[in-house]
Amino acid sequence: MAPITNGRLIFKEIPTGYPIPGKTTVYDTTSTIDLENEPLDGSVLVKTLVLSVDPYLRGKMRAPERQSYTPPFFVGEPLYNFGVGKVVRSENSAFKAGDHVYGVLDFAEYFIPKDITKLEVIVRPEPTLPYSVYVGAAGMPGQTSYYGWKAYAKAKAGEVVFVTTAAGPVGSLVVQLAKQDGLKVIASAGTDEKVKFCKEIGADVAFNYKTTNTADVLAKEGPIDIYWDNVGGPTLEAAIANTALQARIIICGYISQYNGEEDYGIKNIKNVLFNQLSINGLYVTAHHERYKDEFYKVIPKKLASGEFKYTEDITRGLESGGEAILEVQKGLNTAKKIIVVADD
Amino acid sequence: MAPITNGRLIFKEIPTGYPIPGKTTVYDTTSTIDLENEPLDGSVLVKTLVLSVDPYLRGKMRAPERQSYTPPFFVGEPLYNFGVGKVVRSENSAFKAGDHVYGVLDFAEYFIPKDITKLEVIVRPEPTLPYSVYVGAAGMPGQTSYYGWKAYAKAKAGEVVFVTTAAGPVGSLVVQLAKQDGLKVIASAGTDEKVKFCKEIGADVAFNYKTTNTADVLAKEGPIDIYWDNVGGPTLEAAIANTALQARIIICGYISQYNGEEDYGIKNIKNVLFNQLSINGLYVTAHHERYKDEFYKVIPKKLASGEFKYTEDITRGLESGGEAILEVQKGLNTAKKIIVVADD
């Protein structure tokens, strides 16, 4: 078989603000791959099926010398993120042709991972759930919610939690975990449709933060015992101002300051002392070993049975990957953003 | 015996900035007390010997409707804080005349506590330590250091800790606990004399923050794994900027913003996410039940033997109490501030 085009989404340039499709990221079709003969050197050849698009990817689009919890993308190379693929050929005994694999995949139609340890044959405790869910509610974003809630929320029935980006893949699972634990849930989102979804999944109070003042809602519905922060900035400040004594704040994202916005100074950090707050920065990978078995035992079942709800916003084709990334940074996606690169 | 004058330091007026002696607090000699006949109603009559003066007292000088971890002082009534007194008369079987008691005492030469549960017969595991130490390094400030270190530092040998107000009663014990645990200690204080004391108690790096830039020192000597914050504001921001991954920040005080200074906006809170930080507001009382026995077993012995060092800055006479409080707010005290109200 002759070599075929291997479409790839390349990290072209470090952005200063939002990541611009065609500038920050470029869809490249100049590379080819011979599916039958490409040397594998003990690795596997993977056909990419679905890729996750997450807010945190913006943090990887930085100068490599800047330290962060997640390694940087390298200019000139494909982006990568959690996804599901199918093994085309294998020279590794842990994988065979036809296996579906989960892990960190290149934004490429086909690729041969240098680090095979970042892939594993996918375990689908609930085979009725599509593969895309295993990069969403039953994958990394869902794990983020579950691990963070288990590790830091210290939730007690009757307490009040405030969840931001509550219609998103992380927030929506937090809302449902909180309801399951008997909490009162205040949820915010950026469109009326998302607010509607928050109510459907059980939020007691849900509002559109673009048309309703967050501090006013918290003053009325709080004080809050737990704040799940996906946004940072003034919203974090409003949450701190409305904390109960010994409240817990989980900083899971900081989307308000990912895209070159001026750093917002939080003026009420002394309330951390006065209210005996606990604040933790959540990085899902740090908790994976501890909670992953429990997660795969509990969450897919609830998703498959419909007890926990999830939604997806699918982009088809890797050539639209740059737009998908930008949508997520701007909050224009309507649900968990997935790129379907190829059908199974 | 005829009634005698009972000098008291009254909370006269809620301050907007620093607490001004004669205005915020007034020494009052218009009250009298009959030591032999004053009705006790089941309580005890206490003669105050020593009182602690701590930075946190400023937080009690507020409008009572403002929530905080510590109850407010009430205008027109005496201030109160941890201290040691001697029982003059008792109608409570738990106390007898001549007992020394530790607990929350009025800023008064004599007083009859309404809430007897805030006093206990003092336990001095090391009788060679003077009573004043039991309101300092072996009392609440020492407990603050010990409980906070045990609960939140998660210290590992070889790590780096930065301690502010490191010559003070809380900071100096933190420095010594950290050295005992095998850490590298960076210490800051506000006078060269205090810096010298920091070095005497083992700090590896000690500097005067008024003449040396904190961020520069941390950039050179960090990154830091633990930050013991007694000051907040720009110092906290500099510390956050120089944290290692998974660093722990213990907010024990926020003296830079106690006295009406404009609230300083901390611009790098997103590093809590990027560096997976943990931040905890420390309130000593919340940890008292859990750690007090261990504390009294461990710390007084080390103080009595000289293994742990402490210093005191003594003000004599309750009439100078207002000045003592102001000194502590301005950092003009040279060590743990004690008011000796009366000799034993």
Side-chain angles (χ1 to χ4, degrees), chain B residues 200-277:
Chain B
E200 283 168 20
I201 59 175
D204 300 278
V205 178
F207 66 98
N208 182 337
Y209 70 85
K210 290 181 180 164
T211 56
T212 303
N213 183 277
T214 298
D216 291 345
V217 174
L218 298 182
K220 178 166 175 259
E221 303 288 347
I224 56 176
D225 301 288
I226 303 168
Y227 172 45
W228 190 284
D229 189 15
N230 279 318
V231 297
T235 311
L236 174 56
E237 191 171 71
I240 289 174
N242 288 284
T243 44
L245 285 181
Q246 303 192 332
R248 289 77 70 194
I249 296 177
I250 300 156
I251 300 187
C252 171
Y254 219 96
I255 188 97
S256 71
Q257 319 269 292
Y258 283 172
N259 289 289
E261 298 87 350
E262 198 185 343
D263 284 327
Y264 180 83
I266 302 218
K267 288 187 175 163
N268 57 1
I269 291 295
K270 66 181 169 188
N271 284 1
V272 173
L273 174 64
F274 297 157
N275 288 2
Q276 304 171 50
L277 305 183

Side-chain angles (χ1 to χ4, degrees), chain A:
Chain A
M1 208 168 113
I4 58 168
T5 297
N6 184 20
R8 302 178 305 155
L9 194 67
I10 303 292
F11 182 46
K12 181 78 174 175
E13 190 183 296
I14 295 168
T16 50
Y18 282 107
I20 310 298
K23 186 167 148 65
T24 308
T25 57
V26 169
Y27 184 66
D28 174 87
T29 55
T30 62
S31 180
T32 60
I33 190 164
D34 181 337
L35 297 184
E36 284 168 4
N37 301 306
E38 196 77 25
L40 299 184
D41 299 326
S43 184
V44 296
L45 173 60
V46 176
K47 178 185 181 185
T48 304
L49 300 179
V50 296
L51 288 167
S52 177
V53 179
D54 302 289
Y56 89 97
L57 295 181
R58 180 63 182 82
K60 299 174 82 69
M61 300 177 179
R62 66 177 193 274
E65 59 275 15
R66 256 186 54 212
Q67 177 186 276
S68 181
Y69 63 107
T70 178
F73 289 136
F74 284 96
V75 168
E77 296 185 11
L79 290 81
Y80 54 83
N81 195 19
F82 293 94
V84 172
K86 193 172 185 175
V87 175
V88 177
R89 281 192 297 127
S90 172
E91 292 183 356
N92 185 300
S93 62
F95 303 91
K96 62 178 193 297
D99 279 351
H100 286 84
V101 289
Y102 172 76
V104 177
L105 273 62
D106 275 9
F107 276 51
E109 292 178 296
Y110 295 93
F111 85 115
I112 299 161
K114 288 192 197 85
D115 181 1
I116 197 87
T117 65
K118 293 194 169 172
L119 283 187
E120 56 192 25
V121 174
I122 194 168
V123 180
R124 284 200 299 169
E126 298 291 336
T128 58
L129 287 177
Y131 286 113
S132 59
V133 177
Y134 286 91
V135 302
M140 187 276 286
Q143 288 161 359
T144 302
S145 315
Y146 192 81
Y147 301 174
W149 190 253
K150 290 288 165 180
Y152 299 125
K154 294 176 186 163
K156 289 187 280 288
E159 286 191 328
V160 179
V161 59
F162 172 43
V163 184
T164 47
T165 67
V170 173
S172 63
L173 191 56
V174 172
V175 168
Q176 294 174 86
L177 288 166
K179 285 313 298 175
Q180 179 184 265
D181 284 351
L183 281 79
K184 169 179 168 178
V185 176
I186 306 170
S188 71
T191 68
D192 290 345
E193 194 181 352
K194 290 178 181 176
V195 168
K196 192 164 160 267
F197 179 64
C198 293
K199 286 180 181 158
E200 281 167 20
I201 58 175
D204 300 278
V205 178
F207 66 99
N208 183 337
Y209 69 86
K210 290 180 181 165
T211 55
T212 304
N213 184 278
T214 298
D216 291 346
V217 175
L218 298 181
K220 177 166 176 258
E221 303 287 346
I224 56 176
D225 300 287
I226 303 169
Y227 171 45
W228 190 285
D229 189 15
N230 279 317
V231 296
T235 311
L236 174 56
E237 191 171 73
I240 290 174
N242 287 286
T243 44
L245 285 181
Q246 303 190 334
R248 290 79 68 195
I249 295 176
I250 299 156
I251 300 188
C252 171
Y254 218 96
I255 190 95
S256 72
Q257 320 269 291
Y258 283 172
N259 289 290
E261 299 87 350
E262 199 184 344
D263 285 326
Y264 180 82
I266 304 225
K267 289 188 172 161
N268 56 1
I269 292 293
K270 67 182 171 190
N271 283 2
V272 174
L273 175 63
F274 296 157
N275 287 3
Q276 304 171 50
L277 306 184
S278 156
I279 305 181
N280 282 283
L282 172 61
Y283 176 46
V284 58
T285 308
H287 303 273
H288 194 59
E289 278 311 308
R290 183 168 167 203
Y291 293 113
K292 67 174 178 178
D293 292 346
E294 185 183 327
F295 173 83
Y296 281 115
K297 198 181 291 176
V298 171
I299 296 299
K301 190 182 292 179
K302 287 182 189 286
L303 294 168
S305 73
E307 184 186 341
F308 278 3
K309 290 179 176 52
Y310 66 91
T311 53
E312 294 180 332
D313 175 351
I314 289 175
T315 293
R316 294 206 153 257
L318 195 51
E319 66 277 12
S320 303
E323 283 78 10
I325 288 168
L326 181 58
E327 278 175 38
V328 168
Q329 290 301 317
K330 290 193 162 176
L332 300 176
N333 54 317
T334 57
K336 167 64 197 159
K337 175 59 81 176
I338 300 282
I339 303 173
V340 172
V341 179
D343 290 318
D344 196 3

Side-chain angles (χ1 to χ4, degrees), chain B residues 67-129:
Chain B
Q67 177 185 276
S68 181
Y69 64 107
T70 178
F73 289 136
F74 284 96
V75 168
E77 295 186 13
L79 291 82
Y80 54 82
N81 195 20
F82 293 93
V84 173
K86 194 170 182 174
V87 174
V88 178
R89 282 191 296 128
S90 173
E91 290 184 355
N92 184 300
S93 61
F95 304 91
K96 62 179 191 300
D99 279 349
H100 286 83
V101 288
Y102 171 75
V104 177
L105 272 64
D106 275 9
F107 276 50
E109 292 179 297
Y110 296 94
F111 85 115
I112 298 160
K114 288 191 196 87
D115 181 0
I116 198 86
T117 66
K118 293 194 170 173
L119 283 187
E120 57 192 22
V121 174
I122 194 168
V123 180
R124 283 201 300 169
E126 298 291 334
T128 58
L129 288 176

